[in-house]
Amino acid sequence: MRRPGKKKNHFRKLSREYPNGKTYLGKVQKNPRGFAFLIPQDSSQKDAYVSRKDAQALFNGDQVEYQVRCHGHRACAEIKRIVLRGQKELLGLVRQTREGILFETVYGEFATLVKSHIEPKPDHWGIAKIIKYPSARTLSLVSLKQDLGTRLSAVDDCSIAISTFGLPETFSAQAIRIAEKSREKAEG
């Protein structure tokens, strides 16, 4: 049984932790079930919950400005704007649906596949380039960049890491010279 006033005290505590109207900066951490948490840039702040509906336009790793609203016993984030997109490419499976061929990410998000030089094959893993980011009403548009087959293997690890973490595929001549000097130093 809940003690009288406990809910009211919890609401007051949340209100003190998140002053009304204050804007925070955080990074999106999506859950495969569709909802997300915002990890605040200020480590003294607590993570904030984003409902499945509100997280629909977000990708894992996006940097956002948000405000926190207290709803009952939990703090819910209201996204004010996306500051920086966390991903330019996605890892996922090509899916044949009644609506056509879609791309399902490892976070359970769906994107519309547009024609590319690679023919999409249902139930194949792939890396897709984001052409248009999602909104609250529309799916993102993606173009298949690489077909990884029906099973992922260790051979795919570099391609997956490059796409998932936005790593560069090519480096400047200066970066290559620095790396070669470092290697020579380590070997010599």
Side-chain angles (χ1 to χ4, degrees):
M1 181 170 204
R2 186 176 276 176
R3 292 189 318 243
K6 187 174 182 181
K7 189 174 187 178
K8 200 180 274 187
N9 289 339
H10 184 73
F11 184 78
R12 279 193 205 117
K13 183 180 176 191
L14 282 175
S15 297
R16 280 192 307 272
E17 288 176 11
Y18 300 104
N20 200 17
K22 184 168 180 186
T23 301
Y24 301 93
L25 185 64
K27 195 172 244 183
V28 175
Q29 185 176 31
K30 292 279 296 242
N31 183 287
R33 289 183 277 167
F35 62 87
F37 285 98
L38 298 179
I39 313 303
Q41 190 175 29
D42 178 355
S43 60
S44 68
Q45 294 293 321
K46 292 182 180 175
D47 298 352
Y49 173 80
V50 182
S51 71
R52 183 181 186 136
K53 181 183 171 211
D54 293 337
Q56 189 172 332
L58 303 173
F59 279 129
N60 204 48
D62 286 351
Q63 225 177 36
V64 297
E65 282 184 353
Y66 64 99
Q67 291 180 336
V68 176
R69 304 279 183 245
C70 301
H71 294 288
H73 68 283
R74 83 162 45 147
C76 295
E78 180 183 321
I79 307 299
K80 292 300 177 184
R81 75 181 182 104
I82 299 168
V83 177
L84 181 67
R85 286 294 188 170
Q87 296 191 274
K88 292 179 177 59
E89 297 178 343
L90 302 170
L91 172 66
L93 278 165
V94 175
R95 297 286 191 197
Q96 179 69 53
T97 68
R98 280 180 271 175
E99 291 82 24
I101 296 178
L102 297 177
F103 191 77
E104 182 182 8
T105 72
V106 293
Y107 296 103
E109 304 148 330
F110 284 91
T112 303
L113 264 172
V114 298
K115 290 192 179 208
S116 70
H117 64 282
I118 298 174
E119 183 67 33
K121 297 177 186 140
D123 300 319
H124 274 228
W125 285 94
I127 294 173
K129 182 177 191 235
I130 300 169
I131 296 168
K132 185 177 178 196
Y133 288 93
S135 71
R137 292 186 179 91
T138 62
L139 298 176
S140 56
L141 295 177
V142 299
S143 173
L144 195 59
K145 178 182 170 185
Q146 187 176 357
D147 184 327
L148 302 174
T150 56
R151 297 185 67 168
L152 296 176
S153 69
V155 175
D156 304 317
D157 287 351
C158 285
S159 296
I160 291 169
I162 287 168
S163 68
T164 303
F165 301 110
L167 302 173
E169 293 182 61
T170 59
F171 296 92
S172 68
Q174 181 183 8
I176 292 169
R177 280 194 301 275
I178 291 169
E180 287 171 349
K181 283 181 184 177
S182 295
R183 186 186 72 217
E184 289 169 5
K185 205 182 236 185
E187 291 172 351

Coordinates of all heavy atoms in Angstrom, one line a residue, residues 26-31 33-40 46-51 55 58-62 64 66 74-75 77 79:
G26 N 21.5 15.9 -24.9 CA 21.7 14.5 -24.6 C 21.9 13.7 -25.9 O 21.6 14.1 -27.0
K27 N 22.3 12.4 -25.7 CA 22.5 11.5 -26.8 C 21.4 10.4 -26.7 O 21.1 9.9 -25.6 CB 23.9 10.9 -26.7 CG 24.3 10.2 -28.0 CD 25.7 9.8 -27.9 CE 26.5 10.5 -28.9 NZ 27.9 10.2 -29.0
V28 N 20.9 10.0 -27.8 CA 19.8 9.0 -27.9 C 20.4 7.6 -27.8 O 21.3 7.3 -28.5 CB 19.0 9.1 -29.2 CG1 18.0 8.0 -29.4 CG2 18.4 10.5 -29.4
Q29 N 19.7 6.8 -26.9 CA 20.1 5.4 -26.8 C 18.7 4.6 -27.0 O 17.9 4.6 -26.2 CB 20.6 5.1 -25.4 CG 21.1 3.7 -25.3 CD 21.8 3.4 -24.0 OE1 21.4 4.0 -23.0 NE2 22.7 2.5 -24.0
K30 N 18.6 4.1 -28.3 CA 17.3 3.4 -28.6 C 17.3 2.0 -28.1 O 18.3 1.4 -27.9 CB 17.2 3.3 -30.1 CG 17.0 4.6 -30.9 CD 15.6 5.2 -30.9 CE 14.6 4.4 -31.6 NZ 13.9 5.0 -32.7
N31 N 16.1 1.6 -27.8 CA 15.8 0.2 -27.4 C 15.1 -0.5 -28.5 O 14.3 0.1 -29.2 CB 14.9 0.2 -26.2 CG 14.6 -1.1 -25.6 OD1 13.9 -1.9 -26.2 ND2 15.2 -1.4 -24.5
R33 N 12.7 -2.2 -28.7 CA 11.2 -2.2 -28.6 C 10.6 -0.8 -29.0 O 9.5 -0.6 -28.9 CB 10.8 -2.6 -27.2 CG 11.0 -4.0 -26.9 CD 10.5 -4.4 -25.5 NE 11.5 -4.1 -24.6 CZ 11.4 -4.1 -23.3 NH1 10.2 -4.4 -22.7 NH2 12.4 -3.9 -22.5
G34 N 11.5 0.1 -29.4 CA 11.0 1.3 -30.0 C 11.2 2.6 -29.1 O 11.3 3.7 -29.7
F35 N 11.2 2.4 -27.8 CA 11.4 3.6 -27.0 C 12.9 3.9 -26.9 O 13.7 3.2 -27.4 CB 10.7 3.4 -25.6 CG 11.4 2.3 -24.8 CD1 12.5 2.5 -24.0 CD2 10.8 1.0 -24.8 CE1 13.0 1.5 -23.3 CE2 11.3 0.0 -24.1 CZ 12.5 0.2 -23.3
A36 N 13.2 5.0 -26.2 CA 14.6 5.4 -26.1 C 14.8 6.1 -24.7 O 13.9 6.4 -24.0 CB 15.0 6.4 -27.2
F37 N 16.1 6.2 -24.4 CA 16.5 7.0 -23.3 C 17.5 8.1 -23.8 O 18.2 7.9 -24.8 CB 17.3 6.2 -22.2 CG 16.3 5.3 -21.4 CD1 16.1 4.0 -21.8 CD2 15.6 5.8 -20.4 CE1 15.2 3.2 -21.0 CE2 14.7 5.1 -19.6 CZ 14.6 3.7 -20.0
L38 N 17.5 9.2 -23.2 CA 18.4 10.3 -23.5 C 19.5 10.3 -22.4 O 19.1 10.4 -21.2 CB 17.7 11.6 -23.6 CG 16.6 11.7 -24.7 CD1 16.0 13.1 -24.7 CD2 17.2 11.4 -26.0
I39 N 20.7 10.2 -22.8 CA 21.8 10.2 -21.9 C 22.3 11.6 -21.9 O 22.8 12.1 -22.9 CB 22.9 9.2 -22.4 CG1 22.4 7.8 -22.7 CG2 24.0 9.1 -21.3 CD1 21.6 7.1 -21.7
P40 N 22.1 12.3 -20.8 CA 22.5 13.8 -20.8 C 24.0 14.0 -20.9 O 24.8 13.2 -20.4 CB 22.0 14.3 -19.4 CG 21.6 13.1 -18.7 CD 21.6 11.9 -19.5
K46 N 20.0 12.8 -14.6 CA 19.6 11.4 -14.8 C 19.1 11.3 -16.3 O 18.8 12.2 -16.9 CB 18.4 11.1 -13.9 CG 18.8 11.0 -12.4 CD 17.6 10.6 -11.6 CE 18.1 10.5 -10.1 NZ 16.9 10.3 -9.2
D47 N 19.1 10.0 -16.8 CA 18.6 9.7 -18.1 C 17.1 10.0 -18.1 O 16.5 10.0 -17.1 CB 18.8 8.2 -18.4 CG 20.2 7.8 -18.4 OD1 21.1 8.6 -18.3 OD2 20.5 6.6 -18.5
A48 N 16.7 10.4 -19.3 CA 15.2 10.7 -19.5 C 14.6 9.7 -20.5 O 15.2 9.4 -21.5 CB 15.1 12.1 -20.0
Y49 N 13.4 9.3 -20.2 CA 12.7 8.4 -21.1 C 12.0 9.1 -22.2 O 11.5 10.2 -22.1 CB 11.6 7.7 -20.2 CG 10.6 6.8 -20.9 CD1 11.0 5.5 -21.3 CD2 9.4 7.3 -21.3 CE1 10.1 4.7 -22.0 CE2 8.5 6.5 -22.0 CZ 8.9 5.2 -22.3 OH 8.0 4.4 -23.0
V50 N 12.0 8.4 -23.4 CA 11.4 8.9 -24.6 C 10.4 7.8 -25.1 O 10.8 6.7 -25.3 CB 12.3 9.3 -25.8 CG1 11.6 9.8 -27.0 CG2 13.4 10.2 -25.3
S51 N 9.1 8.2 -25.2 CA 8.1 7.2 -25.6 C 8.4 6.7 -27.0 O 9.1 7.3 -27.8 CB 6.7 7.8 -25.5 OG 6.6 8.7 -26.6
A55 N 10.0 8.7 -30.1 CA 11.4 8.2 -30.5 C 11.4 7.8 -31.9 O 12.4 7.5 -32.5 CB 11.8 7.0 -29.6
L58 N 13.9 9.4 -34.2 CA 15.2 9.4 -33.8 C 16.0 8.2 -34.1 O 15.4 7.1 -34.3 CB 15.2 9.6 -32.2 CG 14.5 10.8 -31.6 CD1 14.5 10.7 -30.1 CD2 15.2 12.1 -32.1
F59 N 17.3 8.3 -34.3 CA 18.2 7.2 -34.5 C 19.1 7.1 -33.3 O 19.4 8.1 -32.6 CB 19.0 7.3 -35.7 CG 18.3 6.9 -37.0 CD1 18.2 7.7 -38.1 CD2 17.6 5.7 -37.1 CE1 17.6 7.4 -39.2 CE2 17.0 5.3 -38.2 CZ 16.9 6.2 -39.3
N60 N 19.6 5.9 -33.0 CA 20.6 5.7 -32.0 C 21.8 6.6 -32.2 O 22.3 6.7 -33.4 CB 21.1 4.2 -32.0 CG 21.6 3.8 -30.6 OD1 21.0 4.0 -29.6 ND2 22.7 3.1 -30.7
G61 N 22.3 7.3 -31.2 CA 23.4 8.2 -31.3 C 23.1 9.6 -31.7 O 24.0 10.4 -31.7
D62 N 21.9 9.9 -32.1 CA 21.5 11.3 -32.4 C 21.7 12.2 -31.1 O 21.5 11.7 -30.0 CB 20.0 11.4 -32.8 CG 19.7 10.9 -34.2 OD1 20.7 10.6 -34.9 OD2 18.5 10.8 -34.5
V64 N 20.4 15.5 -29.2 CA 19.2 16.2 -29.2 C 19.2 17.3 -28.1 O 19.8 17.1 -27.0 CB 17.9 15.3 -29.1 CG1 17.8 14.4 -30.3 CG2 18.0 14.5 -27.8
Y66 N 16.4 18.8 -25.4 CA 15.1 18.3 -24.9 C 14.8 19.0 -23.6 O 15.7 19.6 -22.9 CB 15.2 16.8 -24.7 CG 16.1 16.3 -23.7 CD1 15.7 16.0 -22.4 CD2 17.5 16.1 -24.0 CE1 16.6 15.5 -21.4 CE2 18.4 15.7 -23.1 CZ 18.0 15.3 -21.8 OH 18.8 14.9 -20.8
R74 N 7.3 9.3 -13.4 CA 8.5 9.2 -14.3 C 8.7 10.5 -15.0 O 7.8 11.3 -15.2 CB 8.5 8.1 -15.3 CG 7.7 8.3 -16.5 CD 8.0 7.3 -17.6 NE 8.0 5.9 -17.3 CZ 7.7 4.9 -18.0 NH1 7.2 5.2 -19.2 NH2 7.8 3.7 -17.7
A75 N 10.0 10.8 -15.3 CA 10.4 12.0 -16.1 C 10.4 11.6 -17.6 O 11.1 10.6 -18.0 CB 11.7 12.5 -15.7
A77 N 11.0 12.8 -21.6 CA 11.6 13.9 -22.4 C 10.8 14.3 -23.6 O 10.1 13.5 -24.2 CB 13.0 13.3 -23.0
I79 N 11.4 16.1 -27.1 CA 12.5 16.5 -28.0 C 12.1 17.9 -28.5 O 11.1 18.1 -29.1 CB 12.6 15.5 -29.1 CG1 12.8 14.1 -28.6 CG2 13.8 15.9 -30.0 CD1 14.0 13.9 -27.7

